[in-house]
Amino acid sequence: MTRAAAAFAGLGVDRVLEPPGVLPQAALRLDPGLPARPGELVVDCERLQVDSVSFRQLREEGGDDQAAIGRRIMAVVRERGKLENPSTGSGGVLIGRARRASRARRIPRGTRIVSLVSLTLTPLHLERVLEVHLATHQVEVEGHAILCRAFPIAVAPDDLPLGVTLAALDVSSAPAQLARLCRRGDRVVVLGGGGASGLLCLALARERAQGGTLVAVDRDPAMLDDVRRAGLAHHCVQADATRPIDCARAVARATGIVEADVVVNVVDVPGTEMASVLLCRPRGTVMLFSMATSFSDAALSGDGLGRETRMMVGIGYVEGQAALAMRLLRRHAGLREVFTRRYGARH
Ligand code: NAP
């Protein structure tokens, strides 16, 4: 193998079956076959955290029938060698145990790890789906994944339940990205603030935007109750982010804020780009983390307002994201309590 070919092998190019010449993310089919190749880590999968947008679509298609959702997941993975929902293009992450020790990654055999790359580019083979948990979007499975040399992982901590670790690490790039955007005194609005990434972003903003104002917006009152109980926001506003005028009015009425410095969009439905821009001050920052974001809707949403906004695509990998999410969970008792209640039960 040439040196260039060896470097690309670390990215999983040699696991692409079709079309030739693309990276695993863009591939139609990956090869999850064994044995492992040099530099690869084989993980015996225990559980998948399916991306929120993808899981919503699977639920709608399967009519909330766990068995139907499980069959659909099996079919996608069998056909594509990875879990990339063909309707939403999104994946999730996995937790499992290293089948062998890895000197390069400095982990012994059996270490429980979470993949920090999306399931949309991870070679995956499933023997069976054991159980689908509707409330947490987590799926217990038997099978294996191949983590190529360049794919980042996090070692799961011993002091947190498996489900909590998985849920938090799935969206851990959100607070890590926000940490680079949020300043002392900022007014921060989080759309979808009661969800997993919303709660982590609010906890991060409590630390970074000291002296500022934190607003959680969600359409689900139960999710907002959790934010309130955890003490993570100054204001909780029940509103539908797909209705931009109503949403902005509700925020202004409840908080007095007409234009925030930073707006974080972590909802899991389409059609919320305009509300994000409307709620943000000119030259403020909108972080579009939702996988349901439309580039064209986002790009064009400022035109009619005559407003220049700094828009950030939510990125899936940020250095130090796993350690930051774990630190937030340990430091904020309220956040940990909500995560443990939602994701920490055995099921
Ligand atoms: P989640 O836990 O399901 O939270 C989403 C929250 O948004 C829920 O509380 C939901 O309420 C609320 N919501 C839905 N529609 C709304 C609306 N119209 N107005 C106001 N609130 C609304 O999701 P998550 O796991 O935190 O994920 C959030 C987003 O991050 C998803 O879009 C996911 O795809 C994305 N994500 C992106 C990346 C990346 O790399 N960019 C990585 C991972 C995840 P209900 O309970 O009523 O649904």
Side-chain angles (χ1 to χ4, degrees):
M1 199 187 282
T2 65
R3 269 173 63 184
F8 291 137
L11 306 179
V13 176
D14 57 336
R15 288 282 176 183
V16 173
L17 292 175
E18 65 165 316
V22 301
L23 287 161
Q25 170 64 36
L28 289 173
R29 279 195 313 127
L30 296 179
D31 172 12
L34 296 172
R37 300 167 194 175
E40 291 178 341
L41 178 70
V42 179
V43 178
D44 290 311
C45 301
E46 295 171 279
R47 210 180 270 213
L48 311 177
Q49 176 76 55
V50 180
D51 170 72
S52 183
V53 173
S54 171
F55 198 82
R56 180 181 286 280
Q57 189 279 330
L58 291 169
R59 272 182 89 156
E60 281 164 8
E61 188 183 295
D64 272 359
D65 174 349
Q66 281 133 306
I69 294 171
R71 281 195 299 276
R72 183 74 186 116
I73 288 172
M74 283 298 294
V76 170
V77 173
R78 197 176 304 120
E79 191 183 317
R80 306 206 52 189
K82 58 178 180 172
L83 181 57
E84 179 176 350
N85 183 325
S87 306
T88 66
S90 54
V93 294
L94 64 88
I95 195 164
R97 291 190 184 272
R99 193 174 284 186
R100 295 217 159 72
S102 164
R103 279 241 301 275
R105 296 186 186 262
R106 295 203 198 103
I107 52 167
R109 175 170 179 254
T111 304
R112 184 176 262 165
I113 62 115
V114 177
S115 66
L116 294 180
V117 282
S118 173
L119 292 172
T120 58
L121 61 126
T122 305
L124 180 65
H125 168 80
L126 292 183
E127 291 294 334
R128 59 186 63 86
V129 166
L130 302 172
E131 199 151 357
V132 174
H133 302 292
L134 295 179
T136 59
H137 312 171
Q138 295 187 355
V139 180
E140 291 178 55
V141 295
E142 272 175 25
H144 73 262
I146 308 278
L147 298 184
C148 305
R149 194 169 51 227
F151 293 5
I153 61 167
V155 172
D158 294 331
D159 62 332
L160 292 169
L162 174 149
V164 171
T165 301
L166 187 56
L169 292 190
D170 174 35
V171 292
S172 54
S173 61
Q177 188 176 2
L178 183 60
R180 307 210 197 300
L181 307 175
C182 198
R183 302 272 170 274
R184 186 176 273 275
D186 274 351
R187 294 157 301 173
V188 181
V189 173
V190 182
L191 297 175
S197 38
L199 292 163
L200 286 164
C201 285
L202 287 165
L204 183 282
R206 274 199 85 78
E207 299 181 358
R208 286 295 162 117
Q210 278 173 17
T213 308
L214 309 184
V215 183
V217 178
D218 207 292
R219 66 173 176 194
D220 187 336
M223 301 296 242
L224 288 175
D225 280 346
D226 280 346
V227 178
R228 239 177 248 118
R229 267 201 298 272
L232 289 174
H234 299 102
H235 303 277
C236 291
V237 181
Q238 188 186 350
D240 181 348
T242 62
R243 301 171 65 91
I245 307 282
D246 291 347
C247 183
R249 274 203 189 119
V251 170
R253 228 181 0 250
T255 69
I257 294 174
V258 179
E259 292 173 342
D261 301 294
V262 179
V263 176
V264 181
N265 184 326
V266 281
V267 300
D268 57 348
V269 296
T272 60
E273 297 82 359
M274 183 54 94
S276 310
V277 174
L278 197 56
L279 280 161
C280 192
R281 70 169 167 79
R283 295 182 184 257
T285 303
V286 174
M287 182 180 133
L288 295 161
F289 193 73
S290 166
M291 283 287 179
T293 303
S294 146
F295 175 82
S296 52
D297 286 355
L300 299 174
S301 55
D303 291 18
L305 308 175
R307 185 177 298 179
E308 180 184 325
T309 315
R310 182 184 182 220
M311 289 194 205
M312 313 287 294
V313 174
I315 48 180
Y317 176 71
V318 178
E319 249 175 71
Q321 67 183 68
L324 174 67
M326 292 301 115
R327 187 176 62 68
L328 290 172
L329 281 169
R330 292 193 181 104
R331 189 176 282 183
H332 298 270
L335 174 72
R336 197 170 56 249
E337 189 279 320
V338 177
F339 263 77
T340 306
R341 181 161 35 80
R342 282 192 198 167
Y343 307 106
R346 262 207 54 71
H347 298 301

